[in-house]
Each structure stands twice: as C-alpha cells, then as structure tokens.
Amino acid sequence: MNDFKPIKQEKTVISIRLDVSLLKVIDEVSTQTDISRNELIVQCIDYALKNFKN
C-alpha cells in the first residue's frame, strides 16, 4: 500500500435544470445502484464526454 497517493480533485457547485421525468429516472437508477444522485450525474457526464463523437 506504499504506492497509494490520494489525489484531491477540485470540485465546484453548479446548478442545472432537469425535466421532472428525467430526474425521476436519475433517482431510480441512483437508488438501484446505491450511489448518490450527484455521483451518478457526474459519471453519466464523464461517460458521455469520453464517448462523444463529432
């Protein structure tokens, strides 16, 4: 475990507007996967950006 080096990533608070139906789906998936709504949204955005094709 001597190789472990924690990395602190800077984060900021933002505000977004979502359709109620989309938020409902996000909350359902969040509950099913046992991760926070925030973490789910972050992972979805990260995935979308990594797989974005022009």
Side-chain angles (χ1 to χ4, degrees):
M1 189 107 154
N2 293 337
D3 296 341
F4 179 72
K5 293 182 181 146
I7 298 171
K8 182 174 181 175
Q9 294 180 330
E10 184 178 349
K11 296 186 180 187
T12 188
V13 176
I14 64 164
S15 174
I16 61 172
R17 289 170 180 77
L18 301 172
D19 290 336
V20 174
S21 59
L22 179 57
L23 182 57
K24 189 174 182 178
V25 173
I26 289 169
D27 284 342
E28 289 171 2
V29 173
S30 172
T31 299
Q32 291 170 0
T33 57
D34 194 31
I35 61 173
S36 70
R37 176 194 291 167
N38 181 75
E39 184 58 32
L40 177 62
I41 293 170
V42 168
Q43 288 183 30
C44 288
I45 293 170
D46 186 53
Y47 177 84
L49 291 173
K50 286 178 179 173
N51 292 281
F52 183 77
K53 295 180 174 51
N54 288 344

